[in-house]
Amino acid sequence: MVGSPLRSDSPASGGAEPSADDRPVADQPALAGLAPRRRKRSGQSLRPAGVDPVAHVVLDVQAVHLGVDFDYLIPERFSESAVPGSLVRVRFGTQRVNGVIWSRSRESHLPLSELKPITRVLAPRLLPADFRSDIEAIADAYGGTRSNILRLAVPPRSAAVDSRWGDSADRGRARPTEVDDTIRRQVQAQRLEMAGLYDRAEEIPTSLDSRRFAAFVMDSAPGVDQCETAVAWIVGEAIVRGVPAVVVLPTMRSVDRVAWILRGWGLTVFGAGSAPCLDDDGSDIVVMAGSMPPAHRYQAFRLAADGRARCVLGPRAAMYAPVSGRALFVVMDDCAYQQADGMMPYAQARGVMRLRAHSHDGVFVSVSRTRSVAGEWECGNASGVGATCPVEGPSSEIRPTRRAIARFEPAFRWLNRENLTAWGDPTVGARIPRTAARVLEKSAHQGPVLLSIPQDMAVPVLGCVSCHRRALCNRCMGPLAETAGGAPRCLWCGASASTGWACRHCGGRRMAPVRVGAAGTVRQISALFPDVPIAVSSPSSPDGLLPLIDDAPRVVVAVPGYEPRIRSATGGEGAYGAVAILDAWTSLYAQGIDARYDVLMNWMRVLSYAAGAAGGGRAMLIGETDPLLVRALESWDGSLLAAHEMDERAQTGLPPSVCAASVWGARPAVMGVLRRMGAWGGDIGELRLADGSTVPSVLGPVPMPPPRTLDARELEETRDRVKAVVRVPHRLRSELARRLREQSAWHMARREPGELRFAVDPKDFL
């Protein structure tokens, strides 16, 4: 027989009753070589540390009700490495998970003998103390947990990077303070340039020299790269003063452009333009982006955490970059859709950056071509707000001078029906009228011209038959859409508009669905300009995005966000001789609370690619649209639209006049949360508007489609899916986030059926 037979040990000598350890032991027979291993217990590995042997660990577990500290025992062999901020490996139930030591103490609420030990220290001193404080503040502000933020903030660990970190003796030294004289001269020259372009631009360097929190809303001047240059100048001012900086930009194209400008001033950049080297011990600037290889992104995180980088650049994920001490926090295009995180707790880059600047006694700057409604509200109506939750509060405004606007803005014309008729154009109603065709043809034979076209609408929207404007709800100004039964309903509050509806612009009482598309644009252009090459840059084109084109005669057709840059003969950045925005009437049907802002932001970005009027640059807006958008575009003053939007939202109780949160999921779960948190018939069930009247604080609930990533088994569970919006005064924002987190944790802990999610300060209500 192969294997070990049953064996019986003899009883203890002297005829005494055998003890439990001396009784016969039966061994299960096993094939040779397959016997189970016997574990060896090491008394040394379980000996607790002599000082503060209890580690309070935040685990990588995303459940809301588990977002608390868990106590673990620190073995003596990890006493020096298992310090607060270290990444460790522990046992949680039957699994092994990663966690971060948040703090250490002498005692636990459990006896030390019942605590599980830390099994491994993966990365000692990974998260600085200031960064851990920021994570706690962000989680509290948006109703999430520290684990939610850590999942987004800390890149996946790279063992190769950590091994080099442990082998290098010079790692973790203080941030270098010396700055090359060439860099100082470049920043000083740019400071003089910015002083001529912007009113009160000197306030930003002055605030960097002080030790108090300061916030600014900066409107960019028109022209190629003016917005990116403003961001680079602010970063340069911080670098020459030894102040660390974190910069969040909307796209990687913007990141590469700002990095290119800073590199031209003599600064070194890790992770932009070329593949970074793992042997790099430090750079002036590091790029952190999800598109980077994991090892490079993790190394950039460690360079920033150890103070080996002066500045961190990147898209939305860079808002969680580690930084210690007083710092600068800059966000560009603060209300762009890219700045809204798509994972729990759905934080907004603008709020996160302002909160961190406040906690670091630093400087917050929001730079954009188009002023957001939140920025306008902070410049004039936010006094006294921000003490309880500093994601919002008063800011100082910085505007471009009229001289700068006249210097860089192209000559602008609005080609709508009224103006074309006054000019005697016989092609009124054409997609490209003769007036526009003449300007484009002349410019296209001298250099590239740009035609911006709207993207296809995925679903039709409802518009007024009389004035062709978007149909809005008479109750809350939300967009109307046809339901499955054909009756129009509001997508925000769910109110029916089948009877009694009237257009708020012309008083019309009839609606009709509108669908737009960009098909046939190239064919039309080919007929108008048969001798000029045509390039298409869009997601649906065969070549996709065209990042660069030569400065040569051609017509470029591009959708918003896909506009190619011009590479001049000298290698610098060129400008389009003429820019035309087609189908402006589609802006009348854009949906969402920030619909008009998004339209103006795209149009101002398109115009910034054109040469200035002094250089022969021309810009045309073709089609009917809101005259307010035209005034803001022509004067290059986004605050005109922002102020108008702010007044309208104050009358209807919409952000930023109030704070709001979206709650969505299964209908029973959503309704239960609204009742338990007091939003439905409770202490926060009513909202007082600016005129003194009161309205229900809840909009909805309204039906919403199931998630697109579903299988057949989950479809039935998400059939009755709704969304509601809860509105509260600014002073109750922190309380709103706290109640939502508590109710979500209660829902998960009790294993209540149905999906339940929420987002504080959502980008949109749809």
Side-chain angles (χ1 to χ4, degrees):
M1 176 179 178
V2 180
S4 302
L6 292 174
R7 65 181 178 85
S8 176
D9 295 337
S10 58
S13 58
E17 184 69 21
S19 63
D21 294 337
D22 296 331
R23 289 174 182 169
V25 178
D27 287 345
Q28 176 69 29
L31 296 175
L34 298 181
R37 289 185 177 182
R38 296 184 180 274
R39 291 185 177 180
K40 296 181 180 180
R41 296 183 177 271
S42 174
Q44 181 181 2
S45 63
L46 297 180
R47 188 173 60 188
V51 178
D52 295 336
V54 178
H56 308 289
V57 181
V58 176
L59 301 179
D60 186 13
V61 179
Q62 300 306 315
V64 181
H65 64 293
L66 298 178
V68 296
D69 292 340
F70 289 87
D71 293 350
Y72 284 87
L73 186 68
I74 301 177
E76 178 62 31
R77 59 195 177 103
F78 296 146
S79 180
E80 298 296 329
S81 58
V83 295
S86 300
L87 183 67
V88 296
R89 190 80 165 166
V90 298
R91 285 188 173 275
F92 183 69
T94 60
Q95 300 177 342
R96 291 188 179 184
V97 299
N98 292 347
V100 175
I101 299 179
W102 219 253
S103 61
R104 287 176 58 166
S105 64
R106 295 179 54 187
E107 298 178 351
S108 170
H109 64 283
L110 294 174
L112 296 185
S113 59
E114 297 184 12
L115 297 181
K116 294 181 179 179
I118 292 175
T119 60
R120 187 182 176 189
V121 178
L122 300 175
R125 299 174 178 85
L126 181 63
L127 306 184
D130 288 351
F131 185 54
R132 299 197 302 275
S133 299
D134 290 348
I135 290 176
E136 290 181 343
I138 296 169
D140 292 339
Y142 288 94
T145 65
R146 291 167 295 177
S147 299
N148 298 152
I149 308 300
L150 287 172
R151 171 186 54 174
L152 304 171
V154 182
R157 174 180 174 267
S158 171
V161 174
D162 278 341
S163 63
R164 292 201 65 259
W165 233 261
D167 295 339
S168 298
D170 60 341
R171 299 285 185 180
R173 61 191 181 198
R175 177 180 290 102
T177 57
E178 67 279 359
V179 179
D180 190 86
D181 291 338
T182 303
I183 301 174
R184 291 186 182 275
R185 288 194 296 270
Q186 292 280 1
V187 174
Q188 290 174 358
Q190 192 63 42
R191 184 186 309 160
L192 296 176
E193 176 74 14
M194 302 301 286
L197 296 179
Y198 296 92
D199 292 326
R200 303 168 58 186
E202 69 282 353
E203 292 187 10
I204 294 180
T206 302
S207 65
L208 290 170
D209 292 329
S210 67
R211 291 290 175 182
R212 294 176 297 177
F213 168 73
F216 299 92
V217 173
M218 184 176 186
D219 299 335
S220 168
V224 178
D225 277 349
Q226 286 298 320
C227 195
E228 289 81 0
T229 302
V231 172
W233 166 68
I234 297 171
V235 172
E237 293 286 359
I239 288 178
V240 298
R241 289 168 171 77
V243 177
V246 178
V247 182
V248 174
L249 301 139
T251 62
M252 280 304 299
R253 296 184 71 189
S254 301
V255 172
D256 293 338
R257 201 62 193 167
V258 173
W260 182 85
I261 296 172
L262 292 171
R263 191 183 287 112
W265 295 352
L267 295 165
T268 59
V269 182
F270 174 94
S274 59
C277 177
L278 290 178
D279 293 331
D280 193 338
D281 287 342
S283 299
D284 295 318
I285 300 164
V286 297
V287 174
M288 289 183 58
S291 58
M292 298 172 62
H296 295 160
R297 185 184 175 196
Y298 183 71
Q299 183 174 358
F301 182 89
R302 296 225 61 171
L303 288 171
D306 284 4
R308 299 293 299 143
R310 294 184 172 99
C311 173
V312 178
L313 292 179
R316 182 181 62 235
M319 65 182 176
Y320 300 120
V323 66
S324 298
R326 193 168 187 272
L328 167 71
F329 295 87
V330 182
V331 59
M332 175 178 159
D333 291 345
D334 58 315
C335 206
Y337 76 92
Q338 295 97 332
Q339 306 293 18
D341 207 330
M343 300 182 69
M344 183 67 189
Y346 307 103
Q348 299 283 338
R350 188 187 204 282
V352 170
M353 297 287 278
R354 185 186 176 96
L355 184 150
R356 297 189 66 187
H358 189 276
S359 63
H360 285 257
D361 289 330
V363 177
F364 168 75
V365 185
S366 172
V367 183
S368 60
R369 299 178 183 89
T370 311
R371 182 179 298 188
S372 64
V373 185
E376 178 68 16
W377 179 77
E378 289 185 353
C379 289
N381 300 77
S383 57
V385 178
T388 57
C389 189
V391 298
E392 53 195 6
S395 299
S396 302
E397 63 177 358
I398 298 177
R399 293 173 176 264
T401 62
R402 301 309 306 174
R403 185 177 179 181
I405 295 175
R407 173 185 171 187
F408 292 110
E409 188 178 23
F412 177 82
R413 300 177 78 179
W414 181 24
L415 306 185
N416 65 339
R417 182 178 296 273
E418 180 181 352
N419 291 335
L420 289 173
T421 302
W423 296 331
D425 193 317
T427 57
V428 176
R431 193 180 187 199
I432 303 179
R434 180 177 297 180
T435 302
R438 289 174 179 174
V439 175
L440 294 173
E441 183 178 13
K442 181 180 178 180
S443 299
H445 285 91
Q446 299 174 356
V449 298
L450 175 63
L451 270 66
S452 178
I453 60 175
Q455 295 181 349
D456 293 339
M457 285 188 178
V459 295
V461 297
L462 292 176
C464 175
V465 174
S466 301
C467 67
H468 305 293
R469 293 177 182 267
R470 182 184 58 184
L472 300 178
C473 174
N474 290 335
R475 176 185 174 188
C476 70
M477 293 176 53
L480 299 178
E482 290 184 342
T483 60
R489 284 188 176 275
C490 178
L491 297 178
W492 290 357
C493 67
S496 175
S498 57
T499 58
W501 178 84
C503 177
R504 59 189 301 269
H505 298 286
C506 69
R509 295 185 175 276
R510 293 179 57 199
M511 291 179 283
V514 179
R515 183 188 294 272
V516 299
T521 301
V522 176
R523 185 166 57 251
Q524 289 179 312
I525 300 302
S526 301
L528 287 173
F529 315 113
D531 300 330
V532 181
I534 299 176
V536 181
S537 179
S538 73
S540 58
S541 65
D543 297 329
L545 169 66
L546 300 178
L548 288 172
I549 61 171
D550 294 329
D551 191 1
R554 72 179 63 198
V555 176
V556 178
V557 180
V559 300
Y562 278 70
E563 299 87 0
R565 294 182 177 271
I566 299 177
R567 179 172 46 205
S568 64
T570 59
E573 184 81 0
Y576 289 94
V579 168
I581 301 174
L582 304 185
D583 305 327
W585 59 272
T586 60
S587 63
L588 300 173
Y589 304 99
Q591 301 186 53
I593 189 173
D594 287 328
R596 289 193 294 183
Y597 166 85
D598 294 336
V599 169
L600 182 60
M601 180 181 63
N602 286 329
W603 288 355
M604 294 183 80
R605 187 186 66 251
V606 171
L607 260 63
S608 68
Y609 293 130
R618 300 291 182 265
M620 295 170 289
L621 180 66
I622 304 175
E624 302 295 332
T625 188
D626 191 335
L628 181 60
L629 295 178
V630 179
R631 291 200 302 271
L633 189 63
E634 186 176 15
S635 62
W636 199 263
D637 187 0
S639 64
L640 295 178
L641 175 64
H644 184 79
E645 287 272 352
M646 188 178 63
D647 292 340
E648 286 188 345
R649 297 185 191 185
Q651 297 173 12
T652 55
L654 295 176
S657 62
V658 297
C659 290
S662 294
V663 186
W664 70 94
R667 183 182 294 272
V670 172
M671 299 300 292
V673 165
L674 294 178
R675 291 191 183 94
R676 291 195 300 270
M677 67 181 294
W680 203 284
D683 58 335
I684 59 173
E686 290 186 345
L687 177 70
R688 184 174 296 276
L689 301 181
D691 59 0
S693 60
T694 58
V695 295
S697 63
V698 177
L699 293 176
V702 296
M704 62 182 301
R708 286 176 290 182
T709 55
L710 279 182
D711 55 32
R713 295 173 300 176
E714 298 173 310
L715 184 60
E716 183 64 30
E717 298 178 3
T718 59
R719 188 174 299 278
D720 191 10
R721 200 164 179 253
V722 298
K723 172 180 281 191
V725 177
V726 183
R727 302 168 294 172
V728 297
H730 288 278
R731 58 183 175 81
L732 295 179
R733 186 193 183 283
S734 298
E735 178 67 15
L736 175 64
R738 184 188 64 82
R739 293 189 185 188
L740 286 171
R741 179 168 59 185
E742 289 180 352
Q743 294 304 322
S744 179
W746 185 90
H747 175 81
M748 297 190 69
R750 291 176 58 90
R751 298 182 181 271
E752 293 285 328
E755 174 194 15
L756 178 62
R757 297 179 183 273
F758 67 89
V760 182
D761 295 342
K763 162 66 176 172
D764 213 335
F765 294 162
L766 299 178

